[in-house]
Amino acid sequence: MAARPLTPLAVAREAAGYTQEALAVTLKVERTTIGRWERGVQSPQPWQRRGLATALQVSLDVLDDLLRRTLRRPADNITTVLVSPSSSLVTTPVEQIVHQDGPEPEADVIHAAIPRLRRALDRLDLPDDGPTRSPDDLHGEIIRASDDRLQSRYGNLARRLPDLIAELARAGQLGDAAGQRHAAALLTLALRAADGVAFKFGYLDLSARLIDLMRSAAQIAEDPLLLAAVAYVRTETFFATGDLDTAARALELAADHVPDLDTTSSLAAFGALHMRAAVVAGRAGKADLAADHLREARRAAGSVPEGIYVGTAFGPASLRIHELAVAVELRDPLGIERAAYWHPPHELPAERRSHYFIDLARAQLTLGRHEDAHLCLQAARQAAPEHTRTHPQVRQSLSSLLRTHSAPSAGLLDLAAWARAR
């Protein structure tokens, strides 16, 4: 008889290095209790969850996700409950939901890889012995990792990044000063790719740590454009805490320090920082300041073809996506209308295209166009499934749509069930 596949909670337990017996000792429960949790026949009590999350090295939100995906599928004809972030409830018979084969296995791969990633970071200054490829080969690996991030292939990243980061740490201890700076530059981009996974999947403490390590590596690389890229990414930390004033100050300071604005790469860095600062200003309700930042970004985009510059997409199309984001933040109906008549070209990275449709869904909801909002979320899912599934604004939009429909369509219910199953 084939062995039963491990449930998501069991995968996380093994990834953290525990047997059921060892985890039971740590949490002061019976081994059979761990088994019931992992089979989905019983959930931890509220007072047990924090200790379990600490042992598994995950946040409480991630633990809740693991437990939800571990629970047994309800029996047919039993009502399932979709809980919105605002605690509104929408009930529907299970047989009306289009059944999935379960969550995509990539999510389990990612959660299982997080402890390995943490260990690789712990050992950056004390890397294990092992082979180290040539600088050209490592550069090729970073190109692939950056492309996986931009195309939202998070499972690929989770599989490869712990070993790649360890190898780059070894490379940083070899060769002359120039070689060490080159290794630090590659490490900065590898850490950025890792942050793309950590932030999307709710490991906010790990994301903050990765951003700090990115800044240190970029300083060793002595590359001002890498420092600008780190400032762009660092905005995530301030968005998570709601500290918009500091986010704006950090972006403006980084833009002031971008050198040589007569080069394409420098102009792209300068424009991307102002593009991001415009969204921050929009979220803070500062329309005039957002317009000023968009004007600076537009000036840069006029001289820069759409492309990837030091890991960041920038150009006329990326700018249009951010113009929509600003209009949504400011609840500007004219800006929203202008954006709704444009669609991002397929050549743009999948993650950026999905951002456009996620923001457009929010905009359509603002305008009361519920069916259009549903179609936008479907388009985001098609463009970048894992990015869409992990995006908090997608859940908020779906909750709003479910509340406004007394009899939600099968398509909307399917989308809601898919977004919950991660």
Side-chain angles (χ1 to χ4, degrees), residues 146-153 347-351 353 383-384:
S146 294
D147 186 59
D148 281 341
R149 175 180 61 82
L150 291 163
Q151 303 301 338
S152 301
R153 294 189 287 259
E347 293 74 21
L348 274 181
E351 184 179 280
R353 284 185 284 122

Side-chain angles (χ1 to χ4, degrees), residues 40-283:
V41 298
Q42 178 182 328
S43 289
Q45 296 298 319
W47 61 86
Q48 295 170 319
R49 294 191 175 210
R50 185 171 297 279
L52 179 56
T54 300
L56 299 182
Q57 302 178 53
V58 299
S59 68
L60 286 171
D61 285 344
V62 170
L63 176 63
D64 287 343
D65 179 59
L66 290 169
L67 293 170
R68 183 171 55 249
R69 291 187 292 115
T70 295
L71 286 174
R72 286 179 171 175
R73 185 184 296 280
D76 289 344
N77 298 323
I78 295 176
T79 297
T80 186
V81 180
L82 302 179
V83 186
S84 75
S86 61
S87 299
S88 299
L89 302 181
V90 177
T91 62
T92 185
V94 169
E95 68 269 19
Q96 291 184 15
I97 297 179
V98 178
H99 285 297
Q100 309 266 326
D101 292 331
E104 296 181 7
E106 296 299 270
D108 291 342
V109 169
I110 290 159
H111 292 307
I114 292 298
R116 290 180 56 227
L117 179 58
R118 291 185 189 274
R119 286 194 288 271
L121 300 180
D122 291 341
R123 300 170 182 172
L124 275 177
D125 62 333
L126 294 168
D128 294 335
D129 293 334
T132 303
R133 284 170 286 182
S134 70
D136 286 346
D137 286 344
L138 288 172
H139 187 261
E141 282 295 311
I142 292 300
I143 290 174
R144 283 188 285 274
S146 294
D147 186 59
D148 281 341
R149 175 180 61 82
L150 291 163
Q151 303 301 338
S152 301
R153 294 189 287 259
Y154 303 129
N156 286 353
L157 288 174
R159 291 182 185 93
R160 298 203 318 267
L161 279 173
D163 290 339
L164 178 57
I165 287 172
E167 188 175 359
L168 288 167
R170 287 195 294 273
Q173 297 184 349
L174 303 173
D176 57 14
Q180 291 171 4
R181 287 195 297 271
H182 181 65
L186 297 181
L187 178 60
T188 304
L189 295 175
L191 295 170
R192 180 175 186 180
D195 174 65
V197 176
F199 187 78
K200 298 296 189 303
F201 283 81
Y203 295 93
L204 299 186
D205 64 323
L206 179 57
S207 172
R209 181 183 181 191
L210 284 161
I211 291 170
D212 281 342
L213 291 170
M214 284 172 60
R215 293 172 63 199
S216 297
Q219 288 168 349
I220 294 171
E222 299 179 5
D223 185 339
L225 298 187
L226 273 177
L227 288 168
V230 174
Y232 181 96
V233 177
R234 191 183 178 193
T235 312
E236 295 169 356
T237 301
F238 301 122
F239 277 157
T241 60
D243 189 359
L244 299 179
D245 288 342
T246 304
R249 190 164 67 252
L251 290 166
E252 290 167 3
L253 185 64
D256 288 343
H257 284 82
V258 174
D260 304 322
L261 290 182
D262 54 346
T263 69
T264 299
S265 295
S266 292
L267 270 176
F270 179 83
L273 289 165
H274 278 288
M275 192 170 70
R276 189 86 147 173
V279 176
V280 172
R283 187 166 295 189

